[in-house]
Amino acid sequence: MRVLVLYAHPVPESFGAAIHETVVASLKAAGHEVDDCDLYAEGFDPVLSREERRGYHDTNSNTLPVAGYVERVKRAEALVLCFPVWNFGYPAILKGFLDRVFLPGVSFEMVEGKAQPALHNIRRLVAVTSYGGSRWRAFLMGDPPRKAVCRALRAVCHPLARTTYLAHYEMNLSTPASRAAFLKKVAAKLASSSL
């Protein structure tokens, strides 16, 4: 399976980097073709410019500033997001990627004024993340990142796309043992050739 990994963490010695490394190694070991997109390392500009917003609905030209990234998304059969939860959301660079790349004509089509999903090539959606707080606190807040992945992002993928959401909670209280156990869980989940 062709897997696009979107990684969003700026610190190479972070637990987020360890998650990313585990994800990529596990996918490759399972025989998947991995396109590893490290948004910080690639210098992705997350800012949607005035000109891009003005041309947002022009499907003949809206992808030009991010054409390479659009092609990577369209080639993928699976999408794996590796990111930390910051302020109950995506890091800005990942949110900017979705704003700039998941455009009309890419992730959705406008049909009679209604958005219709267009990423039918994505049949598998996985998020691997970490939270500073507890699962209970995330639940009380409505867990916006989980909903953003499992509802909003899932909605633009293939109608039968399966989702997996793996989260390490309470990073502020984590231990080497809790982090190692989470990485082992991630490796086991991604070890399958069918993801």
Side-chain angles (χ1 to χ4, degrees):
M1 184 176 285
R2 289 186 305 277
V3 182
L4 175 61
V5 174
L6 292 178
Y7 171 54
H9 199 297
V11 181
E13 67 275 12
S14 66
F15 183 60
I19 290 173
H20 172 239
E21 184 178 304
T22 300
V23 164
V24 171
S26 300
L27 290 169
K28 286 181 178 179
H32 298 290
E33 178 186 326
V34 178
D35 178 358
D36 185 14
C37 181
D38 180 337
L39 295 172
Y40 281 98
E42 293 188 17
F44 181 78
D45 180 359
V47 178
L48 182 70
S49 72
R50 180 178 299 141
E51 293 75 24
E52 286 174 292
R53 184 57 199 158
R54 283 182 175 145
Y56 187 77
H57 290 285
D58 180 1
T59 57
N60 293 321
S61 64
N62 65 355
T63 62
L64 294 178
V66 289
Y69 290 103
V70 167
E71 287 309 308
R72 292 166 80 174
V73 169
K74 287 186 172 184
R75 275 196 313 264
E77 296 168 305
L79 182 62
V80 179
L81 284 72
C82 294
F83 65 96
V85 170
W86 289 341
N87 295 304
F88 282 98
Y90 296 128
I93 199 166
L94 180 56
K95 176 64 168 74
F97 182 92
L98 298 173
D99 289 345
R100 291 190 68 214
V101 179
F102 281 50
L103 298 161
V106 178
S107 67
F108 65 96
E109 302 282 350
M110 293 303 291
V111 179
E112 296 179 8
K114 295 184 180 179
Q116 301 293 322
L119 283 177
H120 297 290
N121 53 300
I122 305 288
R123 295 179 151 277
R124 194 72 174 89
L125 177 61
V126 178
V128 188
T129 187
S130 60
Y131 290 66
S134 68
R135 174 72 179 106
W136 178 244
R137 184 172 178 222
F139 173 77
L140 289 176
M141 297 295 291
D143 207 348
R146 183 182 293 267
K147 289 178 181 173
V149 171
C150 297
R151 294 182 186 179
L153 193 52
R154 163 64 183 79
V156 298
C157 296
H158 190 279
L160 301 177
R162 292 181 302 123
T163 60
T164 299
Y165 192 88
L166 303 170
H168 184 292
Y169 294 95
E170 297 190 292
M171 279 299 298
N172 298 333
L173 300 173
S174 72
T175 64
S178 72
R179 293 190 298 273
F182 181 71
L183 294 178
K184 185 175 179 181
K185 177 182 176 180
V186 169
K189 284 283 190 183
L190 299 182
S192 166
S193 60
S194 65
L195 263 182

